[in-house]
Amino acid sequence: MVKAHFSRCDNPLSQLQFKNFGAVKNSMQFEYLSRPCYYMEDVDVWSTPWSNANYRYLYEVRDGKPITPPNGMRSAVPLGGLGAGTIELRADGSLKEWNIFNNSPAGGGQKVHLDDALFGLRTSIKGSKTNAWTLRTHPPKGLPSIAQIEYSGAFPVSRLRFADPNLPIALDLYAYCGFKIYDPESSATPAILFTFNLHNPSDQIVETSLMFNLPNHIGGVYSKRERGLVLSKQGSEPTSGAMGIWVDDENALISSSIGQDIIPLWDEFEESGSFKSLMSKDVHAKHGALAVSFKLEPMQSKTLTFVLAWYFPYRPHGDEILGNYYTRLYESVEDVANKVISKLPSIWDAIYQWQTICFDNSLPDWLQDALVNSVATMFKTSMWFADGRFRQWESFSCPAVEPIHIHFYRSLPYAFFFPTLQKNILKGFAKTQSESGYIEENLGDSSGPLDQPKGRQMGDGCTVFILAVYQNYLWTGDKNFLDELWLNVKKAAQWQIERCAKFGLPNNLNNTYDWWDFEHKYIVAYNAFLHIAAMMAAEKLAIIQGDEEFANLCRANIETSRKALNELLWNGEYFRAWWEKEKPSSDASINPLHADTLYGQLWAFILGLGWTTEPEKVSSHLAMEQKKNSSPFGLKVMQGTDCDDDRHPDPRPGHAPYENGPVNNLVWQAGSLDWASLNIYIGGDVQQSLLEAEKVIQNWRENLRDQWDYRDLTTGWDGYPWCNSHYSRQLIFWAIVLALSGQQYSAPDKRLRFDPKVSALSKLPFFTPKASGTLEILGDGKFKLTVLVGELELNELQVREVSIAQPICLKTGQSFVM
C-alpha cells in the first residue's frame, strides 16, 4: 500500500493538522443497534418519539460483538455553507445527511442519504492490469471497494487517505468548505470542494481517471457544461433549483454521461476511464456522472479539485417560503461554482488562519480538537433566510428556533468571530419582547411562523438577554447598537426586578434545566445567580446610558438579591438548587445540589462583572459539586433529591432503580465544562479543572467517537447519549480558554488585560471580534502578544502586574513584547 505525504510545494492542504484519526477497512462489518433514550435524532428522521424512546446507533460488529466504530463513522465534519445546508463525508467514503435540499424540521422533507453519490478511481499502467475502485470501503452492491480509508476531521476539513494492495499511486482527498472568521457571508457559500492530492512514486506513467456520480434526488434534468454537469428542476418546491459538479482542471479530459442505473455507468468508467456517450440538453435520468482523465508522469504530483455546488431558493419554514440568504450572494449554481473556484487560494488561507488560532498554543490536544471542530454545529443547524434573518435550531430533534437560554451557552464563538450574526439574533428577541418587558423563550418552532415566540416563563430569558447586550457592547464598542436596544434591556431588567417583589429573588420561573419543574418552586439557585449577574450588567449599561436613577435601582436590587440568596439558598456548604417556602431548611429533601448552579457567576467572570456572592461560598459550592455529583463522564446533574418520574425509567434491564433516579444521574455536559472554567477563575488547580472538562470532551472523542454530533445529555453510568442531537450548549467550553488566560477586553476603552492562571512558559490564545492571536509567557517577567488574524488597536495592555499605557496597533503576523 502507498500512503501520501505531501509538502507545501505540492499542495498547501497537506500542511493542515488533525488531532483525531480513524481507519475503516472493507473487511469490517457495521450495524445499527437500538438503544434507549428520552428523545433523539435518528438515522432517517429528525426525531424519535419523545419520552421513553429508542434510537439506532452505529456499531462495528467484531466476532459477533458490537464495539465502538472508528472515528468518522457515527458522525463527521459537516461540509457546506453557514445557514446554507451541509453534507457529511464519512470515514467509509459515504456521503451522508444531505441537508442541502431545504429539508429541515420546518418542512422540505426528512433526512436524506444518497448512497449512490460516490467518487471512483481508475488507474492503468502499460503492460499491467487496469484497476478501478469506488472510493468507498462499503459501496452499493455490485461496485468494487477500496481496501482502507483513514479519516481525520478538523472543521471545515475532512481528510481521507486511501490504501489498497493494488493502488499504484498515493491518494489523499481533502473535502472542505468556505469558512472565514469575521466574514459570515464568505462562510455562507452553498458548495463543497473535494481536492485530490495524487502522487506517482513509480518510474512508469499511470493513466488516471476520477469520477463522481450524482444521483437525481430532486427529480430534475441533467445538462452538460464545459467542465461540469448540472442537475436542475423548475418550479417553487423546496427541491426546485439546481446543483452540479465541476472540475477545476483546464488541461484534463472531462466527460459525462447519464443512466437509469449506476452499474452500467460504472462499467463504462471502469472500461475506459471516461464516458463516450453523448448527452443532449436537459435529459432526465436517475444518475449523472462526470469523469476526468489525465496522465501521472513518473514521480509526478498533481492536485485536482471537484466542486459540488447547489442553489435551491425556496426554503420553507412552516407555511411560509422564506428562501435562502445565499441567493443574495450568488445568481445561480454556475455563479456559485465559478466564484468558489476563483477563491480557492483565499479559502485555503482562511482555513490555515483558523487552524493557527486553534492549534498554535499550549492547550492540550483534546481541547484544541474540540475548539477547531466546535463551530461545525453552527453550520449544521443554522438557517439564514433571504430577508437577512439568521437563526439556529436548538437541535433537529428539539426544533425550537433560537431558545435564548441555549443561544447564550453557544454565543462565545458568535461573539468572537461573527458578531454581526449575534446582533442579528438579539434584534430578533428585542423585536418580539412582550409588553411586560419579558424576553420570550424562543423565536418560534418548526410548525409556526418565524419570530412568533412559543415558550414559557424562564429565569434565563431576560437575564441572558441583558448579559448578551452588555457582552456585545463590551467587546465591539458599538454604541449605536446599544442605543437601539437600551430600552429593551431596561424593560427586561425592570421585569426581573418586579419578579423579586415577594422573596427578594425572581420567583417561580423555569429554566433550561427544565426537567425539575422549577416553575413550581419558589426560588431556584440557577436563576438567582443569573439574575444577580444580569443586574450587575444592567447597572453598568445604565451608567453608560447616563441613567443614574435606573443604575441606583439595579444596585438596590443587587443588595436585596444577595441577601435573599444567602438566607434562602445557602445551607452552610453549598447553594441548594431550590427553596420551597413550605419546607423547613432542616428537611433533607430541600437540599438538592445542581451541577451548573453557578452559571451566572461564570458569565460575571467572563464579562469582568466580579463576584455575585462571597468568594469563599463559591469555592465551597464548587468543591461540593465535585464531591457529590462526580461520575466518570462528567458531573451528574442533580443529587440529593428523589425527583424523578415515569418519563425516565431506569433503562438498564435487571437493575434496581438508580440512586436518586436516572434523571438525576444524567450528565448535562455544560455542568462539567462550566465547573472547569469557574474553578480556574477562582484560582483552583488548573489540571484538576481541565480533567473535569476532559471527561466530557474525551467521552465524545474517544469513547463514543462521535464528536460532530454532541447530544446535550449523556448517562452517568455508561456515558452513552440520552437526549437531543447536534447540540451546541457545549460551546461554553470556549470559556475555559478565557479562564486560563484571564482575558478581559474592553472595546470602548481599547483595553486588553490578562491574568494567566498558568505559571510555566506557555502560549495561550486570545479572541476579540476584530483580532485573534496568542499571549506567550516568555519568562523573566516578559510577555509577547501576537496577532494571528485581524487587526488589534489598543490604548492599554496589561499582563498580570505589567502594564503598558500607550497606543498599540498590531496587524496579522505582528507582535508586541512587554
Side-chain angles (χ1 to χ4, degrees):
M1 299 185 186
V2 180
K3 295 185 179 180
H5 298 281
F6 298 95
S7 65
R8 181 173 288 275
C9 64
D10 296 312
N11 187 278
L13 293 171
S14 64
Q15 299 301 308
L16 294 177
Q17 298 181 56
F18 298 89
K19 305 291 182 176
N20 54 73
F21 171 85
V24 179
K25 297 180 179 180
N26 59 7
S27 59
M28 291 177 172
Q29 296 181 14
F30 298 98
E31 184 177 348
Y32 283 99
L33 300 177
S34 180
R35 288 195 59 87
C37 68
Y38 182 49
Y39 64 84
M40 196 91 70
E41 186 179 333
D42 212 344
V43 178
D44 300 313
V45 296
W46 298 117
S47 180
T48 65
W50 280 36
S51 182
N52 197 20
N54 288 280
Y55 70 103
R56 291 172 292 167
Y57 210 33
L58 185 67
Y59 289 86
E60 180 188 349
V61 179
R62 186 181 300 175
D63 298 326
K65 297 180 180 180
I67 62 173
T68 303
N71 185 57
M73 284 298 293
R74 283 175 166 167
S75 60
V77 171
L79 305 168
L82 183 62
T86 61
I87 304 169
E88 294 183 17
L89 176 61
R90 298 283 175 86
D92 61 352
S94 62
L95 290 157
K96 300 287 190 181
E97 305 209 3
W98 292 64
N99 298 343
I100 68 171
F101 301 113
N102 294 318
N103 49 322
S104 82
Q110 284 290 344
K111 298 172 70 173
V112 174
H113 307 288
L114 300 181
D115 197 41
D116 288 343
L118 52 82
F119 283 99
L121 170 70
R122 179 185 183 274
T123 63
S124 179
I125 300 175
K126 187 175 181 180
S128 300
K129 181 183 176 182
T130 296
N131 292 287
W133 309 260
T134 64
L135 296 181
R136 297 266 294 272
T137 56
H138 297 74
K141 186 178 180 180
L143 297 177
S145 64
I146 197 87
Q148 178 176 294
I149 302 176
E150 297 176 359
Y151 178 87
S152 294
F155 185 84
V157 185
S158 283
R159 184 188 67 191
L160 277 64
R161 287 185 159 168
F162 302 94
D164 193 277
N166 298 315
L167 183 62
I169 63 172
L171 181 67
D172 287 0
L173 168 58
Y174 291 84
Y176 53 101
C177 55
F179 172 60
K180 186 176 184 179
I181 63 171
Y182 309 134
D183 190 348
E185 293 192 344
S186 290
S187 304
T189 302
I192 303 171
L193 299 114
F194 300 91
T195 295
F196 288 91
N197 283 357
L198 308 98
H199 177 68
N200 178 9
S202 74
D203 57 1
Q204 295 178 289
I205 295 173
V206 180
E207 298 280 354
T208 307
S209 297
L210 287 163
M211 67 86 74
F212 183 76
N213 183 65
L214 180 64
N216 190 352
H217 173 72
I218 66 174
V221 295
Y222 291 98
S223 302
K224 184 179 179 181
R225 296 294 188 268
E226 182 181 359
R227 313 201 70 77
L229 182 67
V230 171
L231 175 61
S232 60
K233 174 184 172 182
Q234 298 297 315
S236 57
E237 298 176 9
T239 54
S240 296
M243 61 189 305
I245 189 82
W246 282 262
V247 174
D248 179 30
D249 191 322
E250 297 180 355
N251 300 315
L253 174 65
I254 298 175
S255 59
S256 58
S257 187
I258 52 96
Q260 300 304 321
D261 192 302
I262 191 174
I263 299 298
L265 283 171
W266 178 263
D267 290 343
E268 185 177 0
F269 173 75
E270 186 175 30
E271 175 67 23
S272 64
S274 62
F275 298 109
K276 307 302 182 185
S277 57
L278 299 176
M279 278 187 59
S280 59
K281 187 178 181 181
D282 297 343
V283 180
H284 186 277
K286 292 184 178 179
H287 298 273
L290 185 76
V292 55
S293 304
F294 49 89
K295 291 182 180 180
L296 279 178
E297 300 289 341
M299 303 306 297
Q300 180 188 358
S301 295
K302 180 179 178 63
T303 296
L304 186 142
T305 298
F306 286 78
V307 177
L308 177 66
W310 57 92
Y311 195 88
F312 297 107
Y314 303 103
R315 182 186 183 102
H317 191 89
D319 295 330
E320 299 178 288
I321 302 297
L322 298 181
N324 284 305
Y325 185 76
Y326 63 71
T327 60
R328 295 170 55 176
L329 306 176
Y330 303 96
E331 297 178 356
S332 65
V333 71
E334 290 91 344
D335 189 37
V336 174
N338 291 333
K339 287 180 177 176
V340 166
I341 290 172
S342 70
K343 294 190 296 184
L344 265 176
S346 63
I347 291 173
W348 293 340
D349 287 345
I351 293 172
Y352 274 110
Q353 289 180 338
W354 174 241
Q355 285 219 343
T356 303
I357 290 170
C358 295
F359 293 158
D360 185 19
N361 53 60
S362 303
L363 300 177
D365 279 359
W366 59 266
L367 185 53
Q368 291 180 341
D369 198 23
L371 292 174
V372 78
N373 282 299
S374 64
V375 294
T377 187
M378 296 161 65
F379 277 60
K380 185 79 175 183
T381 61
S382 64
M383 306 162 278
W384 203 347
F385 298 102
D387 63 6
R389 285 180 289 178
F390 182 91
R391 302 289 183 262
Q392 189 174 356
W393 295 111
E394 175 177 349
S395 73
F396 291 140
S397 55
C398 186
V401 178
E402 286 295 353
I404 193 167
H405 48 95
I406 301 300
H407 172 76
F408 203 44
Y409 273 98
R410 66 192 178 199
S411 67
L412 284 173
Y414 281 112
F416 292 144
F417 307 125
F418 298 123
T420 57
L421 299 183
Q422 175 84 329
K423 293 176 184 177
N424 188 315
I425 295 165
L426 290 174
K427 285 182 179 180
F429 283 107
K431 185 178 179 180
T432 59
Q433 186 176 29
S434 71
E435 288 296 322
S436 68
Y438 179 66
I439 295 293
E440 301 290 350
E441 180 187 359
N442 57 48
L443 296 176
D445 60 22
S446 60
S447 62
L450 189 69
D451 289 0
Q452 290 196 12
K454 295 181 179 179
R456 304 156 293 182
Q457 289 210 324
M458 309 286 280
D460 43 5
C462 293
T463 51
V464 301
F465 177 78
I466 295 166
L467 289 164
V469 173
Y470 180 66
Q471 174 200 56
N472 185 271
Y473 176 71
L474 184 65
W475 291 354
T476 69
D478 189 342
K479 185 62 163 57
N480 290 333
F481 183 74
L482 174 58
D483 291 342
E484 182 181 350
L485 265 64
W486 165 240
L487 290 181
N488 302 100
V489 170
K490 188 174 180 179
K491 288 174 63 178
Q494 288 171 327
W495 189 92
Q496 286 289 130
I497 292 171
E498 290 169 7
R499 197 77 185 198
C500 296
K502 286 187 178 180
F503 304 112
L505 283 165
N507 68 291
N508 297 95
L509 295 174
N510 210 330
N511 63 51
T512 194
Y513 289 90
D514 52 6
W515 285 357
W516 286 268
D517 299 322
F518 286 137
E519 68 273 26
H520 300 303
K521 296 176 171 58
Y522 285 103
I523 301 296
V524 175
Y526 178 90
N527 296 341
F529 279 97
L530 275 172
H531 170 76
I532 295 172
M535 288 301 101
M536 295 165 77
E539 177 196 359
K540 288 186 176 294
L541 289 173
I543 293 171
I544 293 166
Q545 295 300 105
D547 193 338
E548 186 62 34
E549 181 180 357
F550 192 68
N552 288 332
L553 182 63
C554 293
R555 289 188 198 103
N557 179 262
I558 292 169
E559 183 176 347
T560 300
S561 296
R562 283 174 170 162
K563 181 180 179 182
L565 179 76
N566 289 316
E567 290 179 353
L568 303 180
L569 295 171
W570 179 250
N571 70 1
E573 291 183 303
Y574 57 86
F575 294 95
R576 60 175 66 92
W578 57 76
W579 172 74
E580 296 184 80
K581 183 180 180 182
E582 294 81 4
K583 294 186 178 181
S585 58
S586 58
D587 189 329
S589 69
I590 67 161
N591 280 288
L593 178 57
H594 174 204
D596 211 17
T597 294
L598 302 181
Y599 177 59
Q601 177 62 71
L602 175 59
W603 277 104
F605 284 149
I606 291 171
L607 299 177
L609 296 170
W611 295 88
T612 55
T613 189
E614 296 93 327
E616 61 273 14
K617 291 181 178 177
V618 171
S619 179
S620 177
H621 180 96
L622 291 175
M624 293 305 294
E625 282 190 6
Q626 180 77 2
K627 178 181 178 180
K628 290 179 172 289
N629 296 53
S630 185
S631 89
F633 308 102
L635 295 176
K636 292 175 283 189
V637 61
M638 193 77 71
Q639 295 294 284
T641 176
D642 58 2
C643 175
D644 212 351
D645 58 49
D646 58 6
R647 295 176 301 172
H648 307 279
D650 197 306
R652 304 167 304 153
H655 285 72
Y658 208 92
E659 182 183 358
N660 294 317
V663 65
N664 296 310
N665 288 278
L666 297 170
V667 176
W668 296 51
Q669 293 152 112
S672 288
L673 302 173
D674 291 347
W675 189 95
S677 299
L678 282 161
N679 205 49
I680 294 170
Y681 269 119
I682 68 170
D685 183 86
V686 170
Q687 293 308 313
Q688 179 195 21
S689 304
L690 291 176
L691 181 61
E692 186 57 49
E694 186 179 5
K695 290 180 184 179
V696 168
I697 293 172
Q698 288 291 63
N699 188 40
W700 290 104
R701 292 182 73 239
E702 298 293 341
N703 298 340
L704 300 173
R705 297 176 191 155
D706 197 9
Q707 66 174 315
W708 295 281
D709 187 6
Y710 271 75
R711 280 65 152 195
D712 193 29
L713 282 65
T714 58
T715 62
W717 50 90
D718 62 9
Y720 269 80
W722 184 253
C723 186
N724 247 308
S725 60
H726 290 108
Y727 222 68
S728 51
R729 194 197 300 267
Q730 72 279 358
L731 267 61
I732 194 65
F733 59 54
W734 283 83
I736 296 172
V737 184
L738 300 179
L740 286 169
S741 68
Q743 172 186 322
Q744 292 292 331
Y745 176 62
S746 171
D749 299 322
K750 295 185 177 180
R751 182 180 65 238
L752 182 58
R753 293 175 175 171
F754 298 97
D755 183 19
K757 298 301 190 294
V758 293
S759 56
L761 303 182
S762 59
K763 185 188 291 187
L764 300 171
F766 75 86
F767 318 102
T768 77
K770 290 188 177 180
S772 296
T774 57
L775 172 72
E776 193 169 358
I777 302 174
L778 300 175
D780 298 327
K782 293 186 177 181
F783 307 93
K784 180 180 179 181
L785 188 73
T786 301
V787 170
L788 299 174
V789 184
E791 184 173 341
L792 183 65
E793 292 187 14
L794 300 174
N795 289 331
E796 180 184 344
L797 175 62
Q798 181 176 342
V799 184
R800 291 179 179 150
E801 294 80 19
V802 181
S803 181
I804 301 291
Q806 67 181 53
I808 299 171
C809 182
L810 299 177
K811 298 182 179 181
T812 300
Q814 294 182 334
S815 301
F816 183 84
V817 178
M818 58 186 296

